[in-house]
Amino acid sequence: MNPRRTALAWGLLVLPVPLLFLSLMLGRYGIGPERVWAALFGGDVPDVVRALILRVRLPRALAAAVVGANLSVAGAAFQGVFRNPLVESRILGVSSGAGLGAAVALLAGGGLILQPLAFAVGLSAAGLVALIGWAFGGGLLVLVVGGVLVDSFFSAILGLIKYVADPLGTLPAITYWLLGGLSTVRWADLLPLGVASAIGLAFLLSVRWRLNLLALGEGEATALGVRVGRFRLAVIAVGTLLTAAAVSVSGVVGWVGLIVPHAARALVGPDHMYLIPAAVGLGASVVLLLDTLARTALPTEIPLGVLTGLIGVPVFLVLFMRLLRRQGGWG
Amino acid sequence: MTLAARGLSYAYLPGRPVIQEVSFALVPGEVVFLLGANGSGKTTLIECLGGLRVPAEGEVVLDGRPVRSCSAAARARSIGYVPQLHQLAFGFSAWEVVLMGRAPHVGWLSRPGRADRAAAADALRTLGLWDLAGRTFPTLSGGEQRLVLIARGLAQRVRYLLLDEPDAHLDPANQHRVLAAAQGLARAGIGVVVTTHNPNNALLYADRVMVLAGGRSLVDGAPAAVLTPEVLSAAYGIPFEVVGDGQGPRAFLPRLGDHRARSLTSSEAESASGSARPHSPSSRASSAATANGA
C-alpha cells in the first residue's frame, strides 16, 4: 500500500548489517575494511587480527545487535498490548528480576551460573506478575500495578544482597553488572540468546499486523474475532522471553525499550506491520552504535547502561515533542 | 437468516440484571433502532449480540446456530460491532483502521492481502471517505470518525452490523450523514441495529423500533405504530407530546410545561428509568404498546 514506508521499514531492518561491519573495524586497534572482510571470510590475515575480529569483536557486536533488537521490539509490542506509550520492556519486572538473579550468582561466586540465573529469575519476576494479574482478574491495569510491585520487591531484595555483599569484591561486581555492558561477551553466551531471540522475533514478525488489533482495546478486538486473552498472553510471554534473554547477557540497559519504539514510530508510523521490523532494525543499530562508542570513545570502557541513559533522555525529549506537535496528541 | 436473541439476561452485579429475558430478532436488510433511558440495557444487549459479553441466561442465535458454538472469527465474519466511543492509543490512519475490519478474514500468522485491501478501499469509497484515507484517526471530526468505524464494519463484510449510539455528540447534519449511511447499508442487504437516545431519529431512519425499559422490552414494531408519547413517557419517566403533520408523528418533545417535569427531581428520574425496578408503564402506555415483549 505504502511503498515509501515499506522501503523504510525493511531498510531499517537491514541497517545493522553495514553497522556491524563498521563496528568490527573500530577499536583501540583499528582494522581496515579489506582486512575485516578477509578475517571474516577466510582471507589472508595475521592470526592475531583474525582472533581479535572473530573471538572478541564479532561476538560482542552480534550480542549488541541482538540485545538492542530484543529490547526495542519487546518495548514496541508491550506498548501496543498495554495501549500505553509509556510502557517499556521492563514493565513486568524482568530487569529487576534479572538483576537479582545476577546479584545472587555473583554473591555465590559468579561464573557460569550468572547468565542462566539472571534469565531464570527475570522470567520468574514476569511469571509472578502474571500470577498477580490472574489472581486479581487479569486486567491490564492489574498487570501494570503487579509489575510495579514486583519490581519494587525484587529491588528491595537486591538492596539487601548489596548490603551484605563484600564491599571490596562482590559489591562492585554487582554494581558494574547492573550498569550494563557487553565487555565480557563470548560465543558461548550467544547461543541461548540467539535461540530465544530467533523464536521470539519470528513470532512477533509473523503476527505483527494482528498486534494492531490488540492496540484497539479488548472490546473491539473481540468483536473483530480476536481471542484477546490468549493472544495478549502469547505476546507478553514472547516479549518477556526476549527481554530476559537480552538483559541476562547485557545487564540492565535502560531506555532502549522505551525510546527506540517511539523513534521507529516517528519514522514509519504506528502500524505494527511496519513498526515491528523498523523497531528490530533500529534497536539493533542503536545499541550496536552505542556499544561501539562505549568501548572506543574513552581509553576506559563506558558502561552501556550509562551511555543509553545519557544519550537516550535528550533524544526521547526531542522525539516526544516532535510527536506531540505533529499529531496534536499521542502518536 | 436471522440474528436472534432468545430470552437474554445479563447482570454486571449479582442480583441486579441489566437486561432480563429480552428477545429480539434482526434480518438482513432492515434497520432496527433500540431506544431506552440510560441504564436500560441497550448497550448491554448489543454487546451480547456482538459476542463481547456472554449472557447469563438465554442465547444468541446466528442463522439458526447458537453463536457460542461458532469460532470467534466465524462470528466476526457475520456480526460487526461499532463502539460508542473510540479512543485510539496510537495515531493510526483511517485506512489502517478500516483495514483492521479484515481481521476475521486474515489467517492467524498472515497479513492482509490484495483482496483485503480491495475490500477496505471499497468500504471507504462506498461511504465517501476515500479522501480521508491517509488522515490520522484522532485528527478527524466526530462525524468522520463514526463513518470510518462504520466503514470498518463494512470492510468486515458482515451480514449484521451493530452500531452503539452512532448519533451521539454529533450535530444534526452529521447525525444525518451517519444514520443515512446506516440506512444505506441496510438497503444493500445488511441487518443494522442502532441504539440511540433520540426517538426522532428512530422515526426518520428506522424500519423497526424496540424500546427497552428497566432491562425489558417494552414495545417492538414499526416506528410510527409503536412510538407514542405514552411509550416514551414510560421509557424515560417524563411526559412527552407528539408533533405530527397529518401523515403521522414527526417528532416527540418533552412536555416541559407540565408540573411533573418542573418538579422532577434527580431521584425521581433515577427511579423512573433505573434498571433495578421492572418497567411500570402507565395504563395508557401499555394499551398503546402493540407488541410488548415480542
Side-chain angles (χ1 to χ4, degrees), chain A residues 123-218:
Chain A
L123 284 186
S124 330
L128 203 58
V129 174
L131 203 66
I132 291 173
W134 173 76
F136 291 93
L140 287 180
L141 192 63
V142 181
L143 278 185
V144 174
V145 173
V148 171
L149 291 178
V150 168
D151 194 77
S152 306
F153 189 69
F154 277 44
S155 300
I157 304 177
L158 181 62
L160 196 63
I161 290 179
K162 281 169 145 176
Y163 187 68
V164 301
D166 168 17
L168 294 178
T170 315
L171 183 57
I174 293 174
T175 306
Y176 288 138
W177 192 89
L178 289 175
L179 286 174
L182 293 163
S183 56
T184 60
V185 169
R186 297 292 174 266
W187 279 111
D189 303 322
L190 276 175
L191 185 69
L193 175 65
V195 172
S197 308
I199 295 170
L201 292 176
F203 175 80
L204 288 183
L205 281 169
S206 305
V207 301
R208 65 185 191 277
W209 181 72
R210 295 206 148 244
L211 291 174
N212 288 337
L213 302 166
L214 288 184
L216 289 180
E218 189 160 355

